[in-house]
Amino acid sequence: MSAPAFANPLLESVDRPPPRRVAVIGAGTIGPDIGYYLKSALPEIELVLLDLRQEAIDAALARLRGYADKAVAKGKMKAPDAQAVLAGLAGSTDYAALAGADWVIEAATEDLALKRRIFADVEARVAADAVITSNTSSLPAARLFAQLKHPGRATVTHFFAPAWRNPVVEVIDWPRADRALLAWLRRLFAATGKLPLTTGDAPCFMLDRVFDNWCNEAAHLLAHASAAQVDTVAQAHVHAGPFFVLNLAHGNPIIVETNTLQAAEEGAHYTPATIFGSVERWLTVAPGKRVEVGAAQAAAIDDRLRGVLWSQAVDILDRGIGHSADLDIGCRLALGFKQGPLQSMREAGDAEVTRVLQRFAAERPGMPLPRRALAAYQPSERHVVVDRVDDVVVITLRRPEALNALHDEMTDEILAVIRRHEADAQVAGFVLTGWGSKAFCAGADIGRFPSLLGDAGAAAQYARDCARLLVHLDRCAKPVVAALNGMALGGGFELAMRCHALVAQRHATMQLPEITLGIVPGLGAMVVPYRRWPAAAAVFHGMLARADRLSAAQAHELGIVDDLADTFEALIAKAVARVHALAGRPRPVADAAVALPAWPDGAAAVSGGKRLSAQLVALTGRAVRDAAAARTLADALEVGYRAFGESACTAAAREGIAAFLERRAADFGATG
Ligand code: DAK
């Protein structure tokens, strides 16, 4: 498997247009879910669901209507949008309905002979350049498509349940697939909210090798423990234990099938546990529930579970089945692991990993073991991906599960990438952008905020520490340009405003929602915009005091955004051009005091119809005023750090952050 040309697939240029008519074969569970994802992302396409049974089609169409109704009821979709999703949707038991399809997705039963018959039939009915993909979770593409006349237009695209919401799709890179097909699929998936992970063509690809062997190992452990005990121990690593998931997904036959395939190809150590043949439903615990497990027994179970996980991880990387940067994120987002195997290896340390794997090798002879030093398996970045466009390094924030929200590790990685390339004469500068087309960055990771509350000094120090990246940008010798591909919120906008220029796609927005969380911005938003764009001071007041949203067009008019782009390609092209234009011309943030217009009255402050904390509005106003009066940028930033510390000790902060995490509206009525 060769590495894709770009880690961020949206940087790939492709000639083929998006699909217009898609056929999904198989109206079981996953086929219709794939269809719903596609129709939600690309409502203009025609979608036809094919199945041998009309009842399956009727049930599938009813399910999709149910999804759309639910999305409208929850306010996630507007009624006209739901109508567009459901328009152009049809079902058929007749393969003649394949006519005109430019993409056929097969999601039928896992049976090689059946799938081959389907592909022969499909190929006879669609154009020679129509794309054909299979959603198999285990059968290699080389086998599935061996008999196609035009195999270059075919590959496996493996979705994960629920396919309409789970972002992960494995895109299998097999030798006969056209490179342009893989680039088109990766790009299309990334543009429609998915996380395509390129994997090699081994049986079960990357992620199901982890999942199937994890479940199989759990079943082997039943010689020493109950299913409930294994699930209890496993919950240290996953949100739901393997037996709970197997019950949910009726997964026993799948493990038997996939592990039989792996055993046939790779050795008897993969043979499915015999108990799968005699049990239909496991007696186990629900996620979060536990049963009694003795300490020694728990340790033995845990060693075996970590053993299989780490053994699979090193094997996948040693055989080039997947990329290290993709393995962890795939395990977390597709399979529900709390952290990926490489991260857990790193945290456990080499000595512990070696101990666990030695024990695993003794208990499970034949299972793969590391072939290199353990450090060699670790990815250099986990939360960003790095590409080169000409002589510019493009850093893409990649946390699709949290709209690319920032946390310490991500900012450290951005800083490390910039430091690594700063002295390189071949690098002209940097572009920062976000994964996908929705968000540049949704701000700081709110899940981590509760630990900051209650200690003003510690919170202020934390803000100072976290500002390292931004302070580095202030002094960076090479230009750094923010390319806003979507919303830039809170800390994300603070990061963008410290870049030396901003370019934005027209749908991008900027907002400082901190006040709605009962805190003040910690990373310079009370300081920097007033010094860089003093004429827009009143606008920044509104953004800070009421969380007013700024559109890309407004920001462009105010001179905050230097250029607007219609597409992602244009965005990156403009950002790269800005890097070149800025070379040798740094844009320092002003080191002098600035004048301010009057601060809005906080007593009746509301944002989006919701009352805000008057105390926080006043605190923000005071910090903005003191920072504006400070003579140096460093002094002004210090005012901001201390104000953040102060805000972290308010009842409003406790309420605002708890409300976000509990998915409810904050009530600042009682907090002041
Ligand atoms: N942190 C963590 N997760 C986030 C997130 C964030 N900032 N923003 C979004 N997510 C997650 C959501 O929880 C959701 O996760 P699941 O429910 O799927 O598990 C997923 O991303 C998708 O989001 P939604 O389902 O909410 O998507 P919608 O399109 O419906 O809504 C939204 C998009 C952006 C309107 C909404 O997600 C939202 O309101 N997000 C929060 C925006 C926000 O308030 N951002 C934080 C601003 S405060 C400091 C450093 C920095 C800062 C402060 C201090 N120090 C160092 C001290 C900065 C502060 C901020 O940035």
Side-chain angles (χ1 to χ4, degrees):
M1 177 184 63
S2 51
F6 292 100
N8 179 346
L10 295 182
L11 294 169
E12 313 249 16
S13 56
V14 297
D15 294 336
R16 192 186 181 93
R20 286 179 299 277
R21 180 172 168 82
V22 180
V24 176
I25 298 177
T29 303
I30 199 145
D33 279 6
I34 295 170
Y36 185 74
Y37 136 67
L38 273 171
K39 276 295 283 171
S40 317
L42 303 167
E44 64 282 5
I45 63 172
E46 283 176 38
L47 186 102
V48 58
L49 290 175
L50 282 141
D51 201 283
L52 296 176
R53 294 176 311 119
Q54 186 62 44
E55 316 84 81
I57 291 169
D58 293 342
L61 292 174
R63 183 143 55 91
L64 301 202
R65 282 193 291 274
Y67 287 161
D69 289 348
K70 203 163 164 187
V72 173
K74 284 178 130 185
K76 291 265 173 198
M77 206 187 267
K78 298 203 174 78
D81 295 335
Q83 273 163 19
V85 168
L86 296 174
L89 185 61
S92 177
T93 54
D94 184 351
Y95 269 40
L98 288 170
D102 48 15
W103 184 6
V104 179
I105 303 171
E106 173 276 318
T109 314
E110 289 288 85
D111 176 329
L112 181 62
L114 168 75
K115 284 178 192 280
R116 281 180 166 177
R117 278 201 305 278
I118 290 175
F119 294 131
D121 206 349
V122 168
E123 201 170 38
R125 291 170 187 271
V126 298
D129 64 349
V131 171
I132 300 175
T133 67
S134 169
N135 182 57
T136 178
S137 62
S138 59
L139 299 167
R143 246 164 279 177
L144 283 177
F145 304 121
Q147 295 161 344
L148 285 191
K149 290 195 197 74
H150 303 286
R153 45 66 171 271
T155 193
V156 172
T157 49
H158 178 214
F159 291 80
F160 291 80
W164 60 271
R165 199 179 58 193
N166 194 315
V168 178
V169 192
E170 290 180 313
V171 177
I172 281 50
D173 178 353
W174 68 294
R176 296 176 75 183
D178 288 343
R179 301 298 91 187
L181 166 75
L182 300 178
W184 182 79
L185 286 167
R186 283 167 42 79
R187 201 192 139 85
L188 181 78
F189 286 137
T192 51
K194 292 286 179 194
L195 174 70
L197 303 179
T198 305
T199 74
D201 197 29
C204 307
F205 316 113
M206 174 169 71
L207 295 176
D208 269 16
R209 294 187 75 82
V210 174
F211 179 72
D212 298 341
N213 287 303
W214 168 258
C215 292
N216 196 33
E217 208 54 43
H220 281 303
L221 278 167
L222 294 178
H224 315 283
S226 70
Q229 286 176 317
V230 175
D231 273 3
T232 296
V233 176
Q235 285 182 49
H237 309 290
V238 280
H239 296 290
F243 293 109
F244 182 85
V245 176
L246 285 171
N247 279 348
L248 203 68
H250 307 290
N252 293 356
I254 302 169
I255 306 299
V256 172
E257 196 174 296
T258 54
N259 274 73
T260 303
L261 180 67
Q262 288 178 69
E265 300 267 319
E266 299 173 22
H269 47 282
Y270 284 122
T271 304
T274 43
I275 194 165
F276 280 119
S278 55
V279 176
E280 216 166 281
R281 249 192 113 64
W282 306 99
L283 216 57
T284 188
V285 286
K289 299 273 186 286
R290 312 180 48 81
V291 292
E292 195 58 35
V293 194
Q297 189 185 19
I301 295 171
D302 197 47
D303 277 359
R304 275 283 281 278
L305 291 175
R306 285 188 299 162
V308 74
L309 206 53
W310 295 344
S311 159
Q312 283 306 304
V314 296
D315 188 48
I316 284 164
L317 301 186
D318 280 333
R319 293 167 59 193
I321 300 171
H323 299 287
S324 59
D326 291 343
L327 178 58
D328 275 7
I329 196 169
C331 286
R332 284 194 296 106
L333 302 190
L335 307 180
F337 279 87
K338 291 179 178 169
Q339 59 177 194
L342 300 176
Q343 176 79 15
S344 67
M345 285 168 77
R346 189 165 79 154
E347 288 186 11
D350 285 5
E352 175 68 353
V353 173
T354 305
R355 182 193 69 74
V356 167
L357 285 175
Q358 275 172 358
R359 181 173 181 181
F360 188 61
E363 292 176 11
R364 297 283 280 117
M367 282 293 197
L369 290 172
R371 296 187 209 157
R372 297 174 277 162
L374 290 174
Y377 294 96
Q378 294 296 330
S380 42
E381 287 87 31
R382 290 160 199 276
H383 309 293
V384 301
V385 292
V386 182
D387 287 295
R388 278 292 273 271
V389 174
D390 303 332
D391 53 359
V392 172
V393 174
V394 178
I395 304 171
T396 303
L397 319 187
R398 187 176 78 161
R399 289 191 67 218
E401 73 277 28
L403 299 176
N404 307 324
L406 285 171
H407 54 34
D408 299 354
E409 296 92 314
M410 187 194 262
T411 49
D412 286 350
E413 283 184 3
I414 299 169
L415 183 56
V417 174
I418 291 177
R419 285 200 167 125
R420 196 159 73 227
H421 294 283
E422 219 172 340
D424 182 347
Q426 309 297 315
V427 171
F430 304 87
V431 168
L432 286 184
T433 192
W435 181 268
S437 49
K438 189 168 172 184
F440 169 73
C441 170
D445 193 323
I446 299 171
R448 302 202 175 186
F449 277 178
S451 62
L452 296 178
L453 300 178
D455 182 337
Q461 186 53 43
Y462 180 67
R464 248 172 244 123
D465 293 343
C466 288
R468 269 197 320 267
L469 165 64
L470 306 186
V471 170
H472 188 87
L473 292 180
D474 293 340
R475 302 188 197 123
C476 187
K478 289 186 173 162
V480 184
V481 174
L484 305 187
N485 56 312
M487 56 181 106
L489 309 183
F493 185 35
E494 289 178 300
L495 172 61
M497 69 174 75
R498 288 299 254 288
C499 293
H500 308 136
L502 289 81
V503 294
Q505 272 182 266
R506 285 180 201 280
H507 71 271
T509 53
M510 284 137 266
Q511 194 182 15
L512 295 166
E514 284 84 345
I515 197 80
T516 66
L517 296 169
I519 55 171
V520 302
L523 295 177
M526 295 186 295
V527 177
V528 173
Y530 294 98
R531 288 171 184 244
R532 276 189 76 169
W533 305 285
V539 173
F540 299 128
H541 276 4
M543 292 184 81
L544 286 162
R546 295 184 298 267
D548 289 351
R549 188 177 297 143
L550 198 61
S551 70
Q554 289 166 321
H556 185 232
E557 231 165 76
L558 293 165
I560 300 163
V561 160
D562 297 86
D563 214 340
L564 294 175
D566 289 320
T567 61
F568 187 77
E569 290 91 321
L571 178 77
I572 296 301
K574 288 184 173 189
V576 167
R578 285 270 148 193
V579 167
H580 291 141
L582 283 172
R585 295 197 299 125
R587 285 198 198 176
V589 181
D591 234 348
V594 282
L596 293 180
W599 182 251
D601 175 18
V606 284
S607 171
K610 298 200 183 83
R611 185 166 159 190
L612 297 170
S613 159
Q615 181 194 5
L616 255 293
V617 176
L619 199 164
T620 312
R622 181 159 39 84
V624 167
R625 188 194 62 214
D626 293 351
R631 289 237 289 280
T632 66
L633 174 64
D635 287 348
L637 291 170
E638 185 56 35
V639 170
Y641 303 146
R642 280 200 236 109
F644 178 79
E646 205 181 318
S647 75
C649 294
T650 61
R654 274 199 302 281
E655 166 60 13
I657 289 164
F660 179 85
L661 296 175
E662 291 159 18
R663 296 164 202 270
R664 61 175 172 83
D667 177 6
F668 294 116
T671 65

